[in-house]
Each structure stands twice: as C-alpha cells, then as structure tokens.
Amino acid sequence: MPRALITGITGQDGSYLTELLLKNGYEVHGVVRRTSSLDRSRLHHLYSDESVYGKNLFLHYADLDDTTTMRRVLVSAAPDEVYHLAGQSHVGLSFEIAESTCKMTGMATLRMLEMIQDLEKVPRFFHASSSEIFGKPDTLPQNEQTPFRPVNPYGAAKAFATNMVSIYRNTFGLFAVNGIMFNHESPRRGENFVTRKICRAAAAIKAGRQKELLLGDTTAKRDWGHARDYVRGMWLSLQHATAEDYVFATGKLNSVQDVVEIAFATMELDWSKYVAQDQRFMRPAEPQKLVGDPKKASRLLNWTPETSFRELIEEMTQIEFKRVSGQVVSG
Ligand code: NAP
Ligand code: F7E
C-alpha cells in the first residue's frame, strides 16, 4: 500500500486530495496543527468514519514552524509521496501579515526539502505553487517558462519556494514537482475568498439571512477551476516518470462580476439590488491577466479540467443554499 503525507490536509485541497488518495488505495498521513476548536469540518466525514480513521488515515500534530516535530512525523510516516499544501493562502492578507506569510510559505518549503533529503527513503515531493508568482506578466497565457514577477508578499514567497524546489531537483536529484496552480474553488473554499463569499451571500440573501454583499474590485479577472480537478493533477504529477513543473489551469478568464451574475441568477435574484463596493476589500496591488496554459499537463499527464466555470459557481451556490437552509452537507 503506497503511503502519502499531506501538509495542509485540513484545507480545501487537502480534503479533496485525501479522498482521492484513499480511493486510489493509499495510506494517508496528514499534518494538523493545534487549534482552539477541534472543528475540522472538511475532513469530518472521513475522520468520523471508523473504517477509515486509524486504519488508512492518520493525523499527526505538528506545525510548519516546528521543525523537530515535522521531522519526527516524516520519519514515522515514512511516506512514498509528500504533498506540501500547507501555508497562509490568502493573497490580500499577505500584505497585512507579510512576515509570517513569507516564513510559512517560503522558508517552510525550503525546510521541507532539507528534511526529506535526509530521510532513509527519499519521497517524491509535490509543492503547491501558484499563478501569483507571475504577478504582472508580459505574455499571456502563462506557462512553465513565463518569468516570475510577483506583486504581493504571497506571490514573492511562492516564487522563492518554487525556485527552491527547482534548485533541489536540479542539484540534488530530488523528485520534486512544482504544480503552478491557478485559482481553484469548491464548496469547501475558505469563506473569505471571493467565489465562496459571493455564492454564500447569494444563498443567504435568498434565504432572508443577509441584506447586502460588499466587495472590492469586481472587474478583477481570474482563471477559475474546480479544486477536485486540481488535486487529480497533483497526484498525476507524482506518478509521471520524471519530475517536472506543470501549470494547472483552465485557460479561461472570467471576472468577479461574472461570478456575481451567475451566483445571483442561480438564486433567481437581481444582483444589482444587493451588491456594493467597499474600499476595505480593495488590494494595494492586483496581479494582471493571470490566465494559464495547461498544455504541458495535458500532454504529459493527460490532465484536463472537467468542471466548467459556470458549473462550479452554480454548484457552490446551490450547496450554500442547502447549508443556509440547515441541510447537512458532507465535507
Ligand atoms: P487552505 O484551504 O487555506 O488550506 C491551507 C492549509 O494549510 C490548512 O490545512 C491550514 O491548516 C494549513 N496551514 C497553514 N499554516 C500552517 C502551519 N503553520 N502549520 C501547519 N499547517 C498550516 O488552502 P488551499 O486552497 O487548500 O490551498 C492549498 C495550497 O495550494 C496552499 O499552499 C495554497 O497557497 C496553494 N494554492 C492554492 C490555490 C487555490 O486557488 N486554492 C492556487 C494556487 C496555490 P488550518 O486548517 O489549521 O488553518
Ligand atoms: O481574490 C478580488 C480580489 O481572494 C480573487 C488563493 O487561492 O488564488 C487565490 O488568490 C480576486 C482578486 O483569490 C473581493 O481583489 C474583489 O482580484 O478569491 P481571492 P486570489 O487573490 O486570486 C491564487 C492563485 C492563490 O494562490 C491563492 O492562494 O477577487 N476581490 N472583491 C475580492 N477578493 C476577496 N477575497 N474578497 C472580496 O471581497
């Protein structure tokens, strides 16, 4: 039975990846950090399943900042594959907590590379890189050759980590992969990312629980896909014969305004009655024209995204409506 270790298992991607790896017959180990509440809602359906938890799913307390414990977890789990997904993932907040973002996203990845190098059996390593490394690119769409020009602390930290992964692969021969992922969303997305915020508000307004939705720049555009497709890409990238970097993207640009219109239409509401702009959600700098070219992933991994932008936003809004109406939604 292959073994995987996931950092960031409690996050959006960690939860979908866990489901995929369990389905593929893996023993999955996950790193969780101590929090004041034990609510790990994205994992609850697996954690509370006695046929899974403690049998082929194991959680270990550690923190990216606690090297001794991380090393101990790596040694005891002895994984064949490591998926390094943990980090501070909010771009807007990275301006407010720049130092810890750089420590957790940049330095912690370097430490992971150092630690796995020392293991008796050196595992394959996936790093969750981001389109934010491109910032304001000269060319579009962006691919694996596009130069890094980040415009925020998060993007700069991911650029550092991405470079380190390439350096350790090229210098020390590690099987280390950068998955350069464009935005991917799902009903499990954190509440303060724009798609979830909008879908949740549309559902809450429909249910009479919210009156308005305040947003930042609604003209901002992104390349948005479904998280389930992206975790499949992570897994495929570690099954390939050689370690490579891959762009995972849909290749299609949509605006925040497009998200608003689809979500409100799904709830049969007129968005213009409820949506207003609020300076608090504007960012000091915005990346421009981030749209990915996933041809390499398609050619080498046979990876293509299966869920369209419209299907994604409709699914997210419908699930929010179930949640706000008190229905139980697993995961
Ligand atoms: P997420 O939902 O914010 O999950 C982040 C995970 O990291 C959580 O499990 C969190 O634990 C964990 N974490 C944060 N700081 C930690 C620390 N100091 N020690 C241990 N664990 C820590 O993010 P996501 O959307 O799943 O994204 C996964 C990765 O892909 C991230 O690295 C993100 O930057 C990157 N990425 C995401 C996207 C996207 O569109 N989703 C695109 C490109 C790259 P808690 O649950 O305890 O907070
Ligand atoms: O913003 C604009 C905002 O926070 C998308 C992370 O997963 O993808 C994600 O980063 C856009 C931006 O995601 C609001 O200014 C307008 O232009 O959902 P977001 P992000 O910043 O693109 C990348 C690839 C990652 O790697 C990250 O980890 O929407 N926007 N109004 C707003 N954004 C938020 N959050 N809230 C608003 O009210």
Side-chain angles (χ1 to χ4, degrees):
M1 188 186 266
R3 286 167 180 238
L5 177 81
I6 305 176
T7 71
I9 194 169
T10 54
Q12 169 188 260
D13 291 4
S15 64
Y16 284 113
L17 180 63
T18 303
E19 286 169 0
L20 177 76
L21 295 178
L22 289 172
K23 193 173 112 232
N24 289 354
Y26 279 67
E27 179 177 300
V28 178
H29 294 257
V31 172
V32 295
R33 53 183 176 163
R34 194 266 158 187
T35 45
S36 64
S37 143
L38 275 183
D39 175 33
R40 300 192 183 109
S41 55
R42 297 180 181 113
L43 280 184
H44 191 260
H45 58 297
L46 300 172
Y47 186 66
S48 58
D49 182 340
E50 283 176 13
S51 69
V52 174
Y53 189 63
K55 306 260 182 336
N56 39 18
L57 173 64
F58 302 86
L59 300 181
H60 307 263
Y61 275 106
D63 193 292
L64 289 179
D65 218 11
D66 180 347
T67 316
T68 331
T69 318
M70 279 300 305
R71 190 185 296 278
R72 202 174 293 138
V73 170
L74 276 163
V75 169
S76 76
D80 303 292
E81 297 170 10
V82 171
Y83 295 86
H84 177 46
L85 314 183
Q88 194 298 96
S89 69
H90 199 282
V91 172
L93 277 176
S94 79
F95 284 103
E96 289 171 44
I97 47 170
E99 193 179 325
S100 65
T101 301
C102 292
K103 242 167 84 184
M104 291 310 137
T105 296
M107 276 308 288
T109 305
L110 170 57
R111 281 200 219 112
M112 288 291 293
L113 291 164
E114 281 287 315
M115 284 186 271
I116 65 163
Q117 264 214 115
D118 293 342
L119 294 175
E120 208 167 294
K121 176 185 67 178
V122 181
R124 293 186 170 199
F125 184 81
F126 177 89
H127 168 235
S129 180
S130 164
S131 50
E132 287 288 332
I133 62 177
F134 300 130
K136 285 194 171 146
D138 284 333
T139 52
L140 76 163
Q142 294 87 48
N143 63 24
E144 296 77 8
Q145 271 73 52
T146 304
F148 301 173
R149 296 171 76 187
V151 294
N152 50 56
Y154 171 85
K158 284 284 185 196
F160 171 83
T162 306
N163 279 327
M164 283 300 164
V165 168
S166 307
I167 289 168
Y168 274 61
R169 177 176 65 220
N170 298 334
T171 313
F172 304 117
L174 289 191
F175 193 109
V177 167
N178 285 304
I180 306 170
M181 299 186 289
F182 284 63
N183 298 53
H184 46 280
E185 320 290 309
S186 74
R188 299 182 194 171
R189 189 55 145 150
E191 286 92 340
N192 58 354
F193 293 91
V194 81
T195 54
R196 177 89 191 273
K197 181 175 168 181
I198 294 169
C199 298
R200 206 167 176 235
I205 290 169
K206 180 74 178 177
R209 301 273 180 86
Q210 191 171 323
K211 291 201 166 20
E212 63 173 354
L213 168 61
L214 302 177
L215 291 171
D217 181 4
T218 51
T219 67
K221 291 185 173 174
R222 288 291 187 281
D223 176 334
W224 275 294
H226 198 300
R228 212 180 287 115
D229 286 331
Y230 289 62
V231 303
R232 184 164 39 82
M234 295 177 190
W235 177 72
L236 285 170
S237 71
L238 292 197
Q239 312 314 306
H240 191 65
T242 52
E244 308 275 339
D245 292 341
Y246 302 95
V247 160
F248 292 110
T250 70
K252 297 190 177 78
L253 265 183
N254 284 283
S255 65
V256 172
Q257 179 63 24
D258 294 330
V259 179
V260 168
E261 288 177 21
I262 297 173
F264 279 73
T266 306
M267 291 289 103
E268 297 174 333
L269 293 171
D270 174 0
W271 67 268
S272 64
K273 291 187 182 155
Y274 307 100
V275 179
Q277 199 169 64
D278 187 324
Q279 285 300 317
R280 282 177 305 161
F281 301 112
M282 305 292 277
R283 294 184 183 170
E286 276 284 353
Q288 301 294 323
K289 296 182 183 138
L290 292 184
V291 58
D293 171 3
K295 275 204 276 306
K296 182 177 177 187
S298 164
R299 189 166 41 84
L300 295 190
L301 306 177
N302 200 19
W303 180 86
T304 44
E306 285 170 4
T307 308
S308 73
F309 171 69
R310 176 173 291 277
E311 287 165 344
L312 167 71
I313 302 304
E314 287 175 351
E315 179 194 337
M316 288 177 71
T317 311
Q318 277 149 0
I319 291 200
E320 288 305 330
F321 190 68
K322 284 189 181 160
R323 285 187 177 129
V324 80
S325 315
Q327 295 181 47
V328 180
V329 179
S330 139

